[in-house]
């Protein structure tokens, strides 16, 4: 079927264009598609709209696309770790839309599931609700939120088989399975490419239908944002 | 301003909040002071902590050398898993939050109002970082406990008749624990906040002077 590509650049060939919308998996720097982000950076594609829970940090993750001025708009729930983001936003160079984290996840899930919109109680009575349709169900007020479909989804997985069935690892799963459904084209970078038949069919997180291209990455950085440890008790 | 009173420490406040945790609860602890609550869970009370980035059954920090970049909490800190742990997507994580399956969330705050309004995500004119999962947590968890300093650095009221900052949620706070006192309310249908406890040395006159919200004794 030919879903496996030799490099991130090859996996993205023909998919990138100025002004496109890209949805990316990851939470903070955990489970981000770092190789695909680097290849998008190197491509020079610009005026991007990025849909992602966070916007990376200075010098890593989606932060590298901000530094190179390739981003026009960010839709995120939290962007607190990025000085260059702050500078561009305050200077009016960058458009920013906040969505509550659960609303963002559900907008991505809905888009991938062919659902144009849904009603949620999250954000009722806040700035997030301004300008949105309100509707009462069973005595509770809800607001309408829209599903999101992106031109491209980029995700990071632990394992893939040759068909593009994906397995994520621990909390690196996060937005990745949702993002994988919401791209018109979905490209996955993976840490391990395994033989057909070696993944447990009951344990696959993203079925192959959602994934068009796969690239095996090497030498992942997988940076830790907050290294917290406890002391070993003396024996 | 009234006589300065020392009030409860952050750990004492966290211990007060831990008393809200009942055996069998599924609980989400917000970033910052709420994470201290995990250190004060009573013996015999078995709770499961959720981390909204996609984990139920959050364990303690790892030993040095055991950190795993694929295993973090919502504060992006390295953590560990337990025998009960499960992992899931962000959409599933917020389905359990929004769907009313989580018993309790403990959050920090900038302001709380007498009607249960909560503001904890944005100060206009300053760089806004985003609400993360806070709006979903207050909209979906069965019970919301707030931990905050009673007054701001200049002595201004944070527990007020109405919030001045943009809201995180409207009519969502059930219990308020500050360094001076604990308040709760019987329901979200108009019940007023009621004073439950005061820190040693705090008088009711002190408390009223340092509070901008109506409450009952």
């Amino acid at each position: 079927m030919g879903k496996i590509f030799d490099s991130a650049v090859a996996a993205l060939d023909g998919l990138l264009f100025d002004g496109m919308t890209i949805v990316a998996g990851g939470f903070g720097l955990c489970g981000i598609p770092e190789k695909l982000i680097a290849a998008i950076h190197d491509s020079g594609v610009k005026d991007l709209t990025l849909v992602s829970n966070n916007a990376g940090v200075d010098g890593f993750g989606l932060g590298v696309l901000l530094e190179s001025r390739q981003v026009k708009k960010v839709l995120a729930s939290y962007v607190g770790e990025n000085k260059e983001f702050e500078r561009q936003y305050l200077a009016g160079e960058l458009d920013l839309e906040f969505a509550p984290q659960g609303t963002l996840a559900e907008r991505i899930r809905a888009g991938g599931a062919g659902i144009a919109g849904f009603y949620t109680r999250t954000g009722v009575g806040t700035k997030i609700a301004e300008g949105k349709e309100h509707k009462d169900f069973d005595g509770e007020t809800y607001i309408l939120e829209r599903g999101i479909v992106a031109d491209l989804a980029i995700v990071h997985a632990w394992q893939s088989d040759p068909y593009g069935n994906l397995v994520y690892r621990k909390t690196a799963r996060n937005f990745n399975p949702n993002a994988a459904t919401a791209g018109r084209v979905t490209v996955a970078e993976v840490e391990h490419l395994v033989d057909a038949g070696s993944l447990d069919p009951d344990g696959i997180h993203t079925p192959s239908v959602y994934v068009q291209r796969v690239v095996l990455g090497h030498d992942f950085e997988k940076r830790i944002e907050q290294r917290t440890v406890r002391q070993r008790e003396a024996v | 301003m009234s006589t300065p009173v020392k009030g409860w420490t952050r750990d004492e406040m966290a211990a007060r909040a831990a008393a809200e945790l009942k055996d069998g609860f599924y609980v989400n602890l917000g970033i910052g002071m709420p994470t201290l609550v995990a250190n004060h869970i009573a013996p015999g009370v078995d709770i499961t902590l959720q981390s909204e980035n996609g984990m139920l059954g959050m364990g303690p920090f790892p030993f040095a050398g055991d950190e795993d970049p694929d295993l973090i909490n919502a504060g992006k800190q390295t953590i560990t898993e337990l025998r009960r742990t499960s992992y899931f997507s962000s959409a599933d994580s917020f389905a359990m939050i929004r769907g009313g399956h989580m018993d309790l969330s403990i959050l920090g705050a900038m302001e709380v109002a007498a009607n249960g309004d909560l503001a904890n995500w944005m100060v206009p004119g300053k760089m806004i970082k985003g609400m993360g999962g806070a709006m979903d947590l207050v909209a979906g968890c069965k019970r919301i406990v707030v931990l905050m300093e009673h007054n701001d650095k200049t002595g201004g009221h944070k527990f007020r008749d109405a919030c001045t900052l943009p809201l995180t949620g409207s009519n969502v706070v059930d219990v308020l624990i500050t360094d001076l006192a604990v308040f709760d309310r019987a329901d979200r249908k108009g019940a007023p906040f009621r004073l439950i406890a005061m820190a040693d040395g705090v008088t009711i006159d002190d408390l009223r002077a340092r509070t901008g919200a109506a409450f009952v004794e």
Side-chain angles (χ1 to χ4, degrees), chain A residues 30 77-79 98 100-103 120-122 126 169-172 174-175 178 222 226-230, chain B residues 61-63 67-72 76-78 81 89-91 94 98 127 129-132 136 139 167-168:
Chain A
C30 180
S77 86
Y78 189 83
V79 296
F98 279 125
Q101 192 174 144
T103 295
T120 176
R121 287 201 314 280
T122 300
T126 75
R169 184 170 177 274
K170 302 185 187 288
T171 58
N174 58 63
F175 279 79
N178 310 126
K222 295 178 71 169
Q226 306 281 342
R227 190 177 295 274
T228 45
V229 299
R230 68 188 141 133
Chain B
F61 294 153
F63 294 119
E67 308 94 310
D68 183 340
D70 291 339
L71 185 43
I72 65 167
K76 285 102 178 184
Q77 297 171 311
T78 47
E81 64 187 22
S89 75
S90 297
F94 283 93
R98 199 190 304 102
M127 175 58 193
K129 295 182 171 185
M131 72 293 284
D136 308 280
L167 296 185
T168 306

Side-chain angles (χ1 to χ4, degrees), chain A residues 30-72:
Chain A
C30 180
I32 59 171
E34 58 176 80
K35 301 295 180 192
L36 293 168
I37 291 168
I40 291 169
H41 172 265
D42 293 347
S43 78
V45 66
K46 60 183 194 296
D47 295 329
L48 300 174
T49 294
L50 299 180
V51 180
S52 169
N53 189 54
N54 313 96
V57 298
D58 294 302
F60 194 60
L62 293 173
V64 303
L65 301 180
L66 291 161
E67 276 157 43
S68 53
R69 308 294 192 93
Q70 289 170 268
V71 183
K72 180 181 67 180

Side-chain angles (χ1 to χ4, degrees), chain A residues 145-161:
Chain A
E145 296 280 3
R146 294 292 310 275
I148 294 171
V149 177
D151 297 305
L152 172 67
I154 53 174
V155 300
H156 178 100
W158 173 241
Q159 295 173 310
S160 175
D161 68 10

Side-chain angles (χ1 to χ4, degrees), chain A residues 6-7 13 21-22 51-52 63 78 80 96 104 113 145 147 149 157 168 185 193 196 209 216 218 222:
Chain A
D6 290 336
S7 68
D13 185 47
T21 297
I22 300 176
V51 180
S52 169
Y78 189 83
L96 170 63
L104 181 64
E145 296 280 3
V149 177
Y168 307 96
V185 180
L193 195 56
V209 67
L216 173 64
H218 300 282
K222 295 178 71 169

Side-chain angles (χ1 to χ4, degrees), chain B residues 4-192:
Chain B
V5 172
K6 204 148 189 274
W8 288 313
T9 64
R10 287 161 59 88
D11 261 308
E12 288 167 334
M13 291 166 65
R16 288 262 160 192
E20 294 288 327
L21 305 176
K22 307 290 184 246
D23 193 40
F25 267 20
Y26 285 82
V27 176
N28 183 295
L29 301 179
I31 294 163
M33 200 180 347
T35 60
L36 296 175
V37 176
N39 302 330
H40 298 278
I41 299 167
V45 173
D46 182 42
I47 66 161
T48 302
L49 293 176
Q50 197 232 27
S51 190
E52 67 263 27
N53 53 319
M55 179 185 201
L56 269 177
M58 177 168 60
F61 294 153
F63 294 119
D66 292 344
E67 308 94 310
D68 183 340
D70 291 339
L71 185 43
I72 65 167
N73 64 18
K76 285 102 178 184
Q77 297 171 311
T78 47
I79 50 165
T80 54
E81 64 187 22
L82 303 171
R83 281 152 48 120
R84 72 181 64 185
T85 296
S86 60
Y87 299 108
F88 35 83
S89 75
S90 297
D92 287 332
S93 178
F94 283 93
M96 64 184 74
I97 291 170
R98 199 190 304 102
H101 306 282
M102 299 293 301
D103 295 294
L104 184 85
S105 180
I106 303 180
L107 300 168
M110 298 172 185
E111 292 178 342
V112 170
N115 65 354
D117 286 359
L118 170 68
N120 76 352
W121 76 282
M122 176 184 182
V123 180
K126 295 197 175 180
M127 175 58 193
I128 47 174
K129 295 182 171 185
M131 72 293 284
M135 285 189 183
D136 308 280
L137 285 162
V138 300
C141 291
K142 289 176 193 157
R143 193 166 167 82
I144 299 295
V145 176
V146 165
L147 281 176
M148 73 172 186
E149 300 296 324
H150 200 85
N151 296 103
D152 65 24
K153 290 191 176 74
T154 64
H157 294 157
K158 296 178 70 175
F159 183 26
R160 313 170 57 89
D161 271 337
C163 292
T164 60
L165 296 170
L167 296 185
T168 306
S170 175
N171 186 19
V172 294
V173 179
D174 300 296
V175 181
L176 171 62
I177 299 169
T178 76
D179 50 325
L180 300 185
V182 179
F183 306 86
D184 75 1
R185 56 184 188 144
D187 59 49
R188 295 184 183 179
K189 296 168 186 164

